[in-house]
């Protein structure tokens, strides 16, 4: 998707960062309905850092669907 939106961008790291920001920002809406007490923006930021570290340490690349699902489930788990 990001390559389609930004066809002139060739740097993989930049495209990955743009993709992650898009997924994060789109996930905030969904998260707001699931998390009632916590600050959703702070939680998303922390979960995003965790997912980035997980990807780097394991060499696994999470899909956008997996990222959104993890945002919601981990955030709900943190709140509980």
């Amino acid at each position: 998707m990001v390559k389609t939106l930004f066809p002139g961008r060739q740097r993989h790291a930049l495209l990955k960062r743009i993709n992650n920001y898009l997924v994060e920002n789109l996930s905030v809406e969904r998260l707001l309905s699931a998390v009632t007490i916590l600050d959703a923006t702070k939680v998303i930021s922390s979960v995003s850092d965790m997912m980035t570290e997980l990807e780097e340490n394991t060499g696994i690349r999470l899909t956008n669907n997996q990222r959104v699902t993890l945002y919601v489930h981990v955030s709900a788990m943190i709140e509980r």
Side-chain angles (χ1 to χ4, degrees), residues 11-27:
R11 294 190 308 185
H12 179 70
L14 178 61
L15 290 175
K16 183 177 177 183
R17 196 168 355 137
I18 290 170
N19 181 67
N20 290 345
Y21 286 142
L22 286 172
V23 172
E24 273 182 40
N25 289 320
L26 294 174
S27 299

Side-chain angles (χ1 to χ4, degrees), residues 31-39 79:
L31 187 58
L32 287 175
S33 66
V35 178
T36 56
I37 298 171
L38 300 174
D39 180 356
E79 184 177 50

Side-chain angles (χ1 to χ4, degrees), residues 8-80:
R9 300 289 181 189
Q10 298 300 322
R11 294 190 308 185
H12 179 70
L14 178 61
L15 290 175
K16 183 177 177 183
R17 196 168 355 137
I18 290 170
N19 181 67
N20 290 345
Y21 286 142
L22 286 172
V23 172
E24 273 182 40
N25 289 320
L26 294 174
S27 299
V28 169
E29 294 294 323
R30 166 111 169 145
L31 187 58
L32 287 175
S33 66
V35 178
T36 56
I37 298 171
L38 300 174
D39 180 356
T41 307
K42 287 182 181 179
V43 171
I44 285 246
S45 176
S46 296
V47 173
S48 179
D49 292 344
M50 179 272 307
M51 283 192 276
T52 300
E53 191 171 322
L54 174 72
E55 286 181 321
E56 289 172 358
N57 290 336
T58 62
I60 296 172
R61 173 76 174 114
L62 298 172
T63 66
N64 289 343
N65 289 339
Q66 290 170 326
R67 292 181 78 80
V68 170
T69 302
L70 279 173
Y71 281 128
V72 174
H73 287 286
V74 172
S75 299
M77 204 168 53
I78 290 170
E79 184 177 50
R80 286 182 177 88

